[in-house]
Amino acid sequence: MKRYLILLLFTFQGLMAQVQFEAKVSKNTLGLNERLRIDFIMNVDGDNFDQPNFEGFRVVAGPSQQVSQSWINGRSSFQKIYSYILQPAQKGNVTIKQATIEFNGQVYKTAPIKITVTNAVAEERDPNERPQQGSGSEMINLVAEISKTNPYLNEPITVVYKLYFYNIGVTGFKELAKPKYNDFWNQNIDIKQLAIEQGSYQGQKCYFVVLKKTILYPQKSGRLTIEPLSLDIGVQLPTNRRDMFGQMIVADDNKIVSAGAKTINVRALPESNKPEGFSGAVGKFNFTVTPSKTTLKNGESLDLIVSTSGSGNMKLFTLPKPVVPNALEMYDPVHDEKVTTSLSGMSGKITDKYTIIPQYKGKYAIKPMQFSYFDLSSGSYKTITSPEIMVDVLDGPMQAEANTAANASKNVIAKTDQFKYIKPKTILVSIAKNDFYGSNLYYGLLFLPFIILPIIVLAKKKKEAIDSDVTGNRIKMNNKLAKKYLSEAKKQLNNKEPFYIALEKAMHNFLKAKLHIETSEMSKDNIRELLLSRNANPESVQSFIALTENCEFARYAPASSASIQQDYDKAVLIISELEKQIV
């Protein structure tokens, strides 16, 4: 009996070993615009075939099923195939996961297959793709037209992507791979509406659509590559069949087209005769330096406007910085750009506005400034020099007098301090010393512990009571912080941003002390409700909220010293009123 069971077991294992289920692909590496055929082959009639989700691919056709069975020399052979045509949806390494079937209660799986998808190739070379039926004169091509393939560094070039087609209908498209402009500054030019135009491609009359326009400024010399744009185009192809009215029947399909990679040979700017202050400007420019005024009174300021206008790489260089005497205090500039970008490149005006405040009376010169650029039309460097600007400060302290007064204040010695190190009186000390025992110091040190111990106990109890009063401690701390920040705000009356930061903190800490709330609870509605519930005057509450809102706005808006002083006085008045009103 055992012999038969063992024989049956080996026979069953042999049958199991005969089941084969595998996946085969037409190629393991293909371009983004090529198609892939995958076959799932089994040598048994398996049930419940479950295909993979084909992530990273689009199913163009399938599944198609083929079944074949034959008898040779008394032995039967069986084969069932599920076939798919796939279109890659992205570049990179993509894995086709396992498919499964069931046979005699067992589950069989195929092995995962790794596919490498590269950039689109010039032509589709997939032998498994079915040819389209039609007239044979259909044409569709995506072309990237480059305005210049050997530009200078920072010289504008344009890339226009055109779709040429003939005897074919285009129903839509989507981008599969966007072009990458490594080492280029780039900006797309908006196309409001796609328009079909007539033209020719390689001598053949056809139609075309401009899909994309981009302006490029190379930022590196040498050979630079623009990776291709690839599109999935929905098309309608004519067939040889006609409907009952004699109209040609069209078939919907998809085509993958690519513009192909483009190589740009960028020339470096010449090193000979390059100006010392050249900051990379390339194009055609004008340069001006304009003061808002040249005659000032003490405390007045002037605006020095440094600007350049024209066409070129407007956003890709820096303006020169003015050099002023030490007697003129110059602040960081406010930068402004009014630049438009079209297929011809960038054009417009960029400006740096400096605020300058004189410190002393006198006449001061702002040195001439130089702006250099590379002129593409002449292929040479050009330099524009601004005139010297004289600033006349009519009143105020003279610089020499101020320096003399400062030095004098450092060197003058008061008469009372001239002989402070000489003692005019003699103090005599007795040689004989009193005995420590029985002295006042002796008895003082003896009874000192009995006096200190009760004081320590009382102080400890008081400290514990104070520490246990968490709310009271927080109120005291916030009161101290409010006073601290108000004093800090007073110190910063001449510095706008630090002043409003300190003022805002002081008002927040006042609320923390009086309303016992945290920063997270300081919404406008909550503050108004709590202050009114504590019998605060509605006008004072509204003034407080308006002042807190003004602190944030005033930090970034221009403000005069008079308005800063008014905000400080207003804060002191409002806090004093609320201090009296809140119960």
Side-chain angles (χ1 to χ4, degrees):
M1 185 65 179
K2 284 184 179 180
R3 186 184 305 170
Y4 292 115
L5 288 174
I6 293 173
L7 181 61
L8 181 62
L9 179 61
F10 277 112
T11 303
F12 178 75
Q13 288 180 344
L15 290 174
M16 291 291 289
Q18 293 176 0
V19 177
Q20 295 179 356
F21 182 44
E22 59 182 346
K24 292 183 179 181
V25 293
S26 59
K27 59 178 74 176
N28 292 95
T29 301
L30 71 158
L32 189 62
N33 60 333
E34 294 185 295
R35 293 183 178 181
L36 173 75
R37 176 174 179 142
I38 182 168
D39 296 322
F40 297 97
I41 305 171
M42 64 191 79
N43 65 343
V44 294
D45 191 9
D47 298 324
N48 299 326
F49 171 72
D50 186 12
Q51 69 183 42
N53 58 9
F54 297 119
E55 184 177 356
F57 291 91
R58 179 173 60 86
V59 179
V60 177
S64 61
Q65 181 177 335
Q66 301 177 15
V67 178
S68 62
Q69 189 170 7
S70 61
W71 293 86
I72 301 175
N73 297 328
R75 298 185 62 180
S76 65
S77 63
F78 179 86
Q79 189 178 66
K80 181 189 287 188
I81 303 174
Y82 289 93
S83 300
Y84 296 83
I85 302 296
L86 306 179
Q87 178 72 57
Q90 62 190 34
K91 293 191 300 182
N93 295 321
V94 187
T95 300
I96 298 177
K97 297 181 179 180
Q98 296 172 319
T100 61
I101 60 169
E102 293 182 7
F103 181 71
N104 289 336
Q106 297 290 324
V107 177
Y108 297 89
K109 300 179 180 180
T110 61
I113 300 176
K114 292 184 178 180
I115 305 296
T116 301
V117 181
T118 63
N119 287 328
V121 297
E123 297 179 355
E124 295 189 23
R125 296 184 296 272
D126 190 349
N128 297 293
E129 183 182 351
R130 293 180 295 105
Q132 295 292 334
Q133 293 182 353
S135 64
S137 60
E138 302 88 3
M139 181 267 286
I140 183 167
N141 283 287
L142 180 63
V143 177
E145 296 182 355
I146 311 291
S147 63
K148 196 170 187 179
T149 57
N150 60 337
Y152 277 110
L153 186 72
N154 268 313
E155 179 180 359
I157 61 173
T158 57
V159 184
V160 179
Y161 295 93
K162 294 182 179 180
L163 181 68
Y164 290 92
F165 57 94
Y166 178 74
N167 200 21
I168 193 172
V170 177
T171 59
F173 68 92
K174 66 176 181 179
E175 292 187 357
L176 294 178
K178 294 184 178 181
K180 294 182 180 179
Y181 308 110
N182 297 326
D183 299 314
F184 288 93
W185 182 94
N186 66 89
Q187 182 171 328
N188 290 329
I189 308 299
D190 292 335
I191 300 176
K192 296 182 179 179
Q193 186 176 2
L194 297 180
I196 298 177
E197 302 178 49
Q198 289 186 344
S200 63
Y201 178 73
Q202 295 181 350
Q204 180 181 352
K205 290 185 178 181
C206 60
Y207 297 95
F208 71 90
V209 177
V210 177
L211 301 179
K212 191 181 184 74
K213 297 178 181 179
T214 305
I215 184 78
L216 305 177
Y217 283 85
Q219 301 298 294
K220 179 181 176 182
S221 60
R223 295 175 63 85
L224 304 182
T225 301
I226 301 175
E227 294 192 10
L229 169 68
S230 297
L231 301 177
D232 184 357
I233 309 288
V235 297
Q236 291 181 330
L237 297 174
T239 66
N240 295 325
R241 296 179 292 116
R242 296 182 179 272
D243 59 15
M244 58 185 298
F245 301 102
Q247 299 293 328
M248 182 179 293
I249 298 176
V250 295
D252 292 328
D253 197 4
N254 287 78
K255 288 284 187 180
I256 306 298
V257 293
S258 173
K262 301 294 181 181
T263 301
I264 308 297
N265 187 22
V266 182
R267 293 177 289 171
L269 298 178
E271 292 295 328
S272 60
N273 300 323
K274 179 182 288 188
E276 184 178 352
F278 179 69
S279 61
V282 176
K284 189 75 173 179
F285 302 100
N286 293 318
F287 177 69
T288 58
V289 179
T290 308
S292 59
K293 60 179 75 173
T294 55
T295 302
L296 297 90
K297 296 180 180 180
N298 185 31
E300 289 185 336
S301 64
L302 68 90
D303 291 333
L304 188 67
I305 300 173
V306 181
S307 64
T308 183
S309 59
S311 60
N313 57 336
M314 301 291 293
K315 300 180 180 180
L316 304 176
F317 61 84
T318 57
L319 292 173
K321 186 176 181 179
V323 177
V324 300
N326 293 332
L328 303 179
E329 185 176 1
M330 184 173 68
Y331 293 86
D332 290 338
V334 176
H335 186 74
D336 181 50
E337 293 182 355
K338 295 179 180 178
V339 180
T340 59
T341 305
S342 63
L343 276 181
S344 59
M346 288 185 281
S347 61
K349 183 177 183 180
I350 59 174
T351 302
D352 284 343
K353 184 171 73 173
Y354 295 85
T355 298
I356 298 177
I357 301 176
Q359 304 296 310
Y360 307 106
K361 178 182 178 181
K363 293 185 178 182
Y364 305 98
I366 299 177
K367 295 182 180 180
M369 299 173 60
Q370 290 186 336
F371 174 74
S372 300
Y373 66 93
F374 183 76
D375 186 5
L376 292 171
S377 59
S378 63
S380 61
Y381 293 99
K382 293 188 177 181
T383 300
I384 303 174
T385 304
S386 66
E388 183 181 68
I389 299 173
M390 295 298 299
V391 178
D392 187 8
V393 183
L394 300 178
D395 54 7
M398 296 293 292
Q399 188 171 10
E401 294 175 357
N403 292 337
T404 303
N407 294 331
S409 64
K410 293 179 182 178
N411 297 326
V412 172
I413 301 175
K415 292 182 178 180
T416 56
D417 295 335
Q418 287 182 350
F419 302 102
K420 69 178 182 179
Y421 298 107
I422 301 175
K423 295 184 179 180
K425 294 183 180 181
T426 302
I427 299 175
L428 301 177
V429 179
S430 175
I431 297 176
K433 295 183 178 180
N434 295 328
D435 194 359
F436 175 71
Y437 183 75
S439 65
N440 292 334
L441 180 60
Y442 169 78
Y443 288 109
L445 294 174
L446 180 65
F447 293 104
L448 184 62
F450 299 99
I451 299 172
I452 292 177
L453 283 175
I455 295 174
I456 293 174
V457 173
L458 292 174
K460 185 177 180 182
K461 288 184 178 181
K462 186 174 182 180
K463 185 177 183 305
E464 290 175 351
I466 293 173
D467 292 342
S468 63
D469 186 10
V470 178
T471 304
N473 289 335
R474 187 174 63 184
I475 293 172
K476 290 178 182 179
M477 179 60 68
N478 289 331
N479 275 325
K480 288 181 180 179
L481 288 173
K483 292 178 182 178
K484 170 188 173 184
Y485 287 121
L486 269 178
S487 62
E488 180 65 24
K490 188 174 182 180
K491 295 177 184 177
Q492 301 292 343
L493 284 173
N494 293 328
N495 299 315
K496 181 187 69 174
E497 187 171 350
F499 166 77
Y500 282 107
I501 292 174
L503 183 61
E504 188 175 8
K505 288 183 179 179
M507 299 181 74
H508 283 183
N509 283 290
F510 173 76
L511 290 179
K512 291 180 181 180
K514 295 301 178 183
L515 303 181
H516 311 156
I517 61 175
E518 298 300 328
T519 304
S520 59
E521 302 174 299
M522 288 186 186
S523 66
K524 183 169 64 176
D525 295 336
N526 193 30
I527 292 173
R528 180 183 286 108
E529 183 179 350
L530 289 174
L531 287 174
L532 293 176
S533 66
R534 300 287 293 273
N535 294 333
N537 191 319
E539 295 180 357
S540 300
V541 173
Q542 183 59 35
S543 299
F544 186 90
I545 292 174
L547 185 57
T548 56
E549 292 175 345
N550 184 52
C551 286
E552 179 67 22
F553 173 76
R555 284 166 59 187
Y556 304 101
S560 63
S561 58
S563 62
I564 292 175
Q565 182 65 48
Q566 289 175 3
D567 287 341
Y568 176 79
D569 295 338
K570 189 184 297 183
V572 174
L573 178 62
I574 293 173
I575 289 178
S576 300
E577 290 179 353
L578 290 177
E579 182 78 31
K580 298 174 184 177
Q581 296 169 6
I582 295 176
V583 296

